[in-house]
Amino acid sequence: MRDWVLFGIIWGAIALANPALLLFLPFAGIWILTGAGSALARDLAGASLSALIFLAILAPWMVRNTRVFHHFVPLRANFGAELFLGNGPGATGLLMEYDHPQKDPRQLQLYTEMGEYRYAQMRGELAKQTIRADPWLFARNTLKRLDFFWFGVPSASGNAASRFFRSLNFGFLSTAGLLGLLLALHRRVYGAWLFAFAFLTLPAVYYLVTVHARFRHPLEPLITLLAVFLFQSAESRASRQASAIDPAAISR
């Protein structure tokens, strides 16, 4: 029961800090409930308590949002604006920062006049219209953002060599982590499916909107663990093969 209490507290803090990570929450909870040695009745009671704690942590923020925006906004009200900046007319897969209220005086004036909630709703509708008008452009940009997340966001800063090594660093770690995940799934390592769901869900929102290098931070510890697992497994296999060689055959 103590662990379930901690689970609710930790996920409440995560929700307030980065709501995009909440896509992983159901998979984490279900994995615990269906895990080896789980006592379903006891764990259901613990999960219910955890959910109540989670909602209690979010409640003050939800009340505040309702009073400020005059609409029910559980966590954030800016998704529509971000969706437009990633998928508006002329989108290339990168965030259209030039059209952000921080950069464009006209957008800042609109934002000031309409308020955050109405402004985000308006921009979200424009984004949906653009996506419906050219779904293939949205699909291509989504694939680009997937590539940016795993192999590096293009940057105009630095020289060509620094940009190349930055991309190489991103790509090497991602490839090693993904191969480590596949190996763990193949060997049916305990917890491998939980890692797989983390890999699927944690970046999902960013594929649809925009990608920055810092968005990988929650996932990078798991990527690194799986990369180490991959190389450690290769080393163990090489050691086993070496120990299986007949010394007499070598001498001959």
Side-chain angles (χ1 to χ4, degrees), residues 25-80:
L25 172 56
F27 297 99
I30 292 171
W31 184 80
I32 295 171
L33 287 170
T34 58
S38 173
L40 188 58
R42 182 194 64 203
D43 283 344
L44 280 175
S48 300
L49 175 62
S50 184
L52 289 174
I53 293 171
F54 173 80
L55 292 174
I57 292 173
L58 266 57
W61 185 248
M62 291 192 290
V63 171
R64 175 264 178 196
N65 284 348
T66 303
R67 294 182 64 180
V68 170
F69 298 124
H70 305 292
H71 290 85
F72 178 67
V73 178
L75 292 168
R76 293 183 182 176
N78 66 331
F79 180 75

Side-chain angles (χ1 to χ4, degrees), residues 2-208:
R2 180 194 62 189
D3 292 342
W4 278 114
V5 169
L6 290 173
F7 187 80
I9 292 172
I10 290 170
W11 273 104
I14 290 172
L16 292 175
N18 190 351
L21 306 184
L22 288 178
L23 289 174
F24 179 54
L25 172 56
F27 297 99
I30 292 171
W31 184 80
I32 295 171
L33 287 170
T34 58
S38 173
L40 188 58
R42 182 194 64 203
D43 283 344
L44 280 175
S48 300
L49 175 62
S50 184
L52 289 174
I53 293 171
F54 173 80
L55 292 174
I57 292 173
L58 266 57
W61 185 248
M62 291 192 290
V63 171
R64 175 264 178 196
N65 284 348
T66 303
R67 294 182 64 180
V68 170
F69 298 124
H70 305 292
H71 290 85
F72 178 67
V73 178
L75 292 168
R76 293 183 182 176
N78 66 331
F79 180 75
E82 298 296 330
L83 185 67
F84 180 87
L85 290 172
N87 300 284
T92 61
L94 297 170
L95 190 70
M96 300 187 296
E97 295 185 36
Y98 56 84
D99 208 23
H100 195 283
Q102 290 181 332
K103 299 288 182 70
D104 189 337
R106 293 171 301 173
Q107 294 302 322
L108 179 59
Q109 183 178 358
L110 271 177
Y111 178 88
T112 305
E113 293 173 353
M114 299 178 68
E116 181 177 342
Y117 182 84
R118 289 179 55 211
Y119 177 82
Q121 293 293 309
M122 178 268 293
R123 297 282 268 184
E125 286 302 317
L126 291 176
K128 292 173 187 177
Q129 292 174 17
T130 305
I131 293 170
R132 285 194 291 265
D134 194 348
W136 288 112
L137 176 63
F138 174 69
R140 289 196 299 272
N141 284 335
T142 300
L143 290 175
K144 285 182 182 180
R145 288 185 285 259
L146 188 150
D147 175 65
F148 296 161
F149 187 91
W150 293 102
F151 297 99
V153 182
S155 174
S157 62
N159 54 37
S162 67
R163 291 196 296 269
F164 170 77
F165 283 109
R166 180 174 181 271
S167 179
L168 183 65
N169 175 51
F170 254 76
F172 175 77
L173 186 60
S174 295
T175 302
L178 290 167
L179 290 175
L181 176 62
L182 291 175
L183 180 62
L185 291 172
H186 175 71
R187 293 186 176 179
R188 299 182 180 180
V189 174
Y190 182 72
W193 278 108
L194 184 64
F195 277 46
F197 287 126
F199 273 55
L200 288 172
T201 58
L202 296 182
V205 172
Y206 306 126
Y207 297 157
L208 303 178

